[in-house]
Amino acid sequence: MGPSGIEQGIAYEADTIEELAKKIGCDASTLSKTVERHNGMCEAGEDTDYYKKPVFLTPVKEGPFYALKVGPALLTVTGGLKTDINFECLDADGKPIEGLYALGNCMGDITAVDCPINVAGNSHGRCITYGYLLGKDLAK
């Protein structure tokens, strides 16, 4: 096995939240308050920040504690431009904007508030299929 994330400098381990904050260059008070808020939502059984399902609410109470460097990753846009069935973007009144199209991952109303990552090919399949359908229609 290769070097661990800690050895690579992309993961951090500490016995306390305050020590972890120092290792990652974050304000210890802010991180502690964030963890306390998260734990409170776990105890209440409701995530009012990100609306995770209660089954996924796990409190952060006993060390060691870990932090990882994670770069940005985007599978899809939750939200995006609203379109009609012809992939034409809609204005604020719900009327098509002639000549303006959106499809694939920038379409609105596809993923609501969460991208279902457990459906293999969902994102790319939609991009390829919708691109094909729109291209076919525009070629007419």
Side-chain angles (χ1 to χ4, degrees):
M1 247 195 329
S4 72
I6 293 171
E7 293 168 339
Q8 293 176 38
I10 59 171
Y12 304 89
E13 178 183 13
D15 293 326
T16 67
I17 294 295
E18 293 76 16
E19 181 186 346
L20 185 63
K22 184 176 180 180
K23 286 185 174 186
I24 64 173
C26 148
D27 179 68
S29 175
T30 301
L31 183 58
S32 294
K33 287 177 185 175
T34 301
V35 171
E36 288 171 22
R37 177 168 173 73
H38 170 77
N39 288 341
M41 290 187 289
C42 291
E43 290 170 16
E46 181 182 15
D47 179 353
T48 56
D49 286 345
Y50 301 103
Y51 306 99
K52 284 186 271 183
K53 294 178 182 178
V55 70
F56 297 117
L57 293 175
T58 304
V60 177
K61 292 190 175 189
E62 294 183 30
F65 301 100
Y66 297 90
L68 302 171
K69 281 187 180 178
V70 179
L74 185 63
L75 294 176
T76 186
V77 175
T78 54
L81 302 169
K82 291 188 177 190
T83 62
D84 62 14
I85 61 170
N86 298 313
F87 309 110
E88 282 188 289
C89 294
L90 304 176
D91 65 16
D93 296 321
K95 294 185 170 62
I97 301 170
E98 188 176 340
L100 183 60
Y101 301 90
L103 48 86
N105 288 331
C106 65
M107 290 176 73
D109 300 332
I110 294 293
T111 58
V113 297
D114 187 25
C115 177
I117 61 172
N118 58 339
V119 181
N122 185 31
S123 174
H124 289 83
R126 186 174 56 250
C127 293
I128 293 166
T129 302
Y130 291 175
Y132 170 80
L133 293 172
L134 178 58
K136 189 175 174 183
D137 283 349
L138 292 176
K140 290 179 187 176

